[in-house]
Amino acid sequence: KKAIKKSRLSAVRIMAWSNDISSLSVSTGTYFTYNSKHYILTVQHGLLTPTCELIQIEVDGVLHDCTGILVADSHTDYAILEVEPIPARTPLRFPRDFVQGPHQWKNTTGALTPLVYTGYPNTIGPVTLSGKVMGMSKDDFIYFNSYAWAGSSGSGVFDMKGRLVGYIVAID
């Protein structure tokens, strides 16, 4: 229950527009705090733009502004956005609420270890799903057997203790 609660209370929907290609991208992010500032971890492929001008964060029908993009890495497909506090969400605390250290990683990434995530697939949600670890790649990607579809990308993945393990990047 702790993992599900943290997953649901930190999940946000991200909407990014592109004037160049006249399109909208919808993805999910995980809200967290570090040194009294507020951030969202998500996927780079969902942003469509290198600036915050065309990015909005939606929570319970209320839109919030992105105030800065700290990093957008296309190789690992992640981005960290800076935002103002979001009253309707409870931010994770970095590093306390994140899996860290060899012992925690070993316990979290073992075969068939249960994990959960909450996202906004197909613009519905939040929807919470579960799955199990299938293995790890040589470059530290966790293979997680669950269901994800468009909009799930960027969802934070949690272990059963409510610690953030990673984020959804779907593969076929």
Side-chain angles (χ1 to χ4, degrees), residues 117-156:
Y117 79 91
T118 299
Y120 292 87
N122 289 342
T123 68
I124 62 168
V127 176
T128 303
L129 297 142
S130 64
K132 294 184 179 181
V133 173
M134 296 170 38
M136 283 192 70
S137 70
K138 291 178 185 176
D139 49 356
D140 295 328
F141 283 95
I142 299 169
Y143 296 123
F144 170 55
N145 185 15
S146 186
Y147 191 75
W149 58 102
S152 297
S153 292
S155 301

Side-chain angles (χ1 to χ4, degrees), residues 23-164:
S23 65
L24 169 68
S25 172
V26 178
S27 56
T28 301
T30 303
Y31 180 53
F32 72 97
T33 187
Y34 177 70
N35 283 341
S36 301
K37 291 191 175 186
H38 295 82
Y39 304 97
I40 294 172
L41 169 66
T42 190
V43 288
Q44 184 273 334
H45 76 257
L47 298 184
L48 300 181
T49 177
T51 67
C52 278
E53 295 167 350
L54 298 174
I55 297 173
Q56 292 278 285
I57 314 305
E58 188 268 330
V59 176
D60 300 333
V62 177
L63 296 177
H64 302 270
D65 292 330
C66 167
T67 59
I69 299 176
L70 295 185
V71 64
D73 185 311
S74 61
H75 176 70
T76 324
D77 196 11
Y78 82 98
I80 297 178
L81 311 177
E82 188 169 355
V83 295
E84 294 297 324
I86 300 173
R89 288 293 179 261
T90 303
L92 300 178
R93 292 166 297 188
F94 182 83
R96 182 179 178 183
D97 292 328
F98 290 61
V99 170
Q100 52 189 313
H103 180 70
Q104 287 183 0
W105 276 109
K106 184 177 179 184
N107 289 340
T108 300
T109 59
L112 301 180
T113 301
L115 301 172
V116 298
Y117 79 91
T118 299
Y120 292 87
N122 289 342
T123 68
I124 62 168
V127 176
T128 303
L129 297 142
S130 64
K132 294 184 179 181
V133 173
M134 296 170 38
M136 283 192 70
S137 70
K138 291 178 185 176
D139 49 356
D140 295 328
F141 283 95
I142 299 169
Y143 296 123
F144 170 55
N145 185 15
S146 186
Y147 191 75
W149 58 102
S152 297
S153 292
S155 301
V157 178
F158 293 79
D159 68 7
M160 292 299 100
K161 292 184 178 180
R163 297 177 301 212
L164 187 72

